[in-house]
Amino acid sequence: MLLIEIVGILEALESNAISLNEAENICFSPYIQKKLKEKKCNPEILEIVERGCELEDIKSLIPESYYKNIADLKNLGLALVGKYPFIHSSFWRE
């Protein structure tokens, strides 16, 4: 579920539906990264979050690569989502 949220945030960023500040408040912050590490989150997901935390620096220092970085992170997230097994609808009813 976290990956789907991350991919959605990146899609919203890419289409300018949310600001980078909003994305940082939702997911791409050192605080969230720390909490996910404590919960022993998948290192590949942690890498996406960590790189998401760097988007502000990329936007200010290398603005021409900002959207490419968002797209790259989104593609990493989508590739990871595909590795997880299908969640049956009964999962939420148990």
Side-chain angles (χ1 to χ4, degrees):
M1 293 306 295
L2 176 60
L3 274 172
I4 293 169
E5 178 182 355
I6 289 170
V7 169
I9 290 167
L10 290 164
E11 179 68 30
L13 265 178
E14 191 173 43
S15 64
N16 294 312
I18 65 170
S19 69
L20 183 53
N21 189 47
E22 290 170 310
E24 290 171 340
N25 286 333
I26 298 166
C27 186
F28 299 132
S29 70
Y31 173 78
I32 297 294
Q33 184 181 4
K34 178 184 168 202
K35 290 297 181 183
L36 292 173
K37 276 185 186 178
E38 289 172 1
K39 300 281 184 184
K40 300 188 186 330
C41 184
N42 178 329
E44 292 174 298
I45 297 172
L46 283 171
E47 180 184 343
I48 295 171
V49 173
E50 181 178 332
R51 288 179 56 190
C53 292
E54 297 168 355
L55 286 172
E56 184 176 8
D57 291 336
I58 291 168
K59 188 174 184 178
S60 65
L61 298 172
I62 321 165
E64 63 276 4
S65 68
Y66 174 69
Y67 288 103
K68 181 187 180 330
N69 276 274
I70 291 172
D72 290 347
L73 290 176
K74 186 173 73 171
N75 288 332
L76 281 173
L78 287 169
L80 275 176
V81 167
K83 292 181 180 180
Y84 283 89
F86 177 74
I87 299 174
H88 298 281
S89 60
S90 63
F91 173 82
W92 299 108
R93 296 182 194 152
E94 293 175 3

